[in-house]
Amino acid sequence: MKKLLVEFIGTFFLILTVVVAVKLGGAMAPLAIGSILMVMVYAGGHISGAHYNPAVTLAVWMRGKCDTSDVPGYIVAQLAGGVLAALTGSFLLGTKVHVLPATNLDVLPSLLAEFLGTFALCWVVLHTATSKGTSGNS
């Protein structure tokens, strides 16, 4: 249960920071996002592996560094943390939550960007886990 709480909290603060930083814009948004990820990894890495992303959990599991029994709980905790963070950020900023993309949005570039970014994240996490003997983002 402690692992799931760590995944929920870490994902919540990561996504909340992304929502607020992206909405407010500015040159410091990437620094804010990277900083909160660093803080959450240091806070929870020794407990859960600090995945904070279902794609990372699946990659670490495929590498054999995450128990199969942990995967569903991690993903549920991460999704719950992300949804609650998005709703919280929307409330704090006084904006509406948009679940679906705008109708004029070309989806393929977005999907390609998401795939490449997720691939790079998982590759780095797996490389780090292999070279340091740990799992997760740490």
Side-chain angles (χ1 to χ4, degrees):
M1 186 60 143
K2 192 173 186 179
K3 291 179 182 182
L4 300 180
L5 185 59
V6 166
E7 288 295 316
F8 176 87
I9 291 169
T11 304
F12 175 86
F13 282 104
L14 175 60
I15 299 304
L16 180 62
T17 303
V18 169
V19 167
V20 173
V22 167
K23 178 65 178 176
L24 297 178
M28 299 302 279
L31 184 61
I33 295 165
S35 295
I36 197 65
L37 179 58
M38 176 188 65
V39 168
M40 290 297 118
V41 167
Y42 277 105
H46 65 286
I47 297 169
S48 70
H51 301 174
Y52 307 142
N53 182 326
V56 172
T57 296
L58 291 175
V60 173
W61 171 75
M62 288 169 41
R63 182 78 171 126
K65 300 292 184 183
C66 182
D67 292 336
T68 300
S69 61
D70 286 339
V71 172
Y74 272 39
I75 291 174
V76 168
Q78 293 157 356
L79 291 175
V83 168
L84 186 60
L87 293 171
T88 302
S90 178
F91 175 76
L92 291 173
L93 296 169
T95 60
K96 294 180 181 178
V97 174
H98 298 283
V99 178
L100 298 175
T103 56
N104 61 349
L105 179 67
D106 188 2
V107 176
L108 288 179
S110 299
L111 289 175
L112 179 60
E114 183 66 24
F115 173 80
L116 293 173
T118 302
F119 175 83
L121 173 65
C122 292
W123 185 78
V124 168
V125 168
L126 292 178
H127 176 71
T128 303
T130 302
S131 64
K132 291 185 179 181
T134 62
S135 63
N137 290 336
S138 54

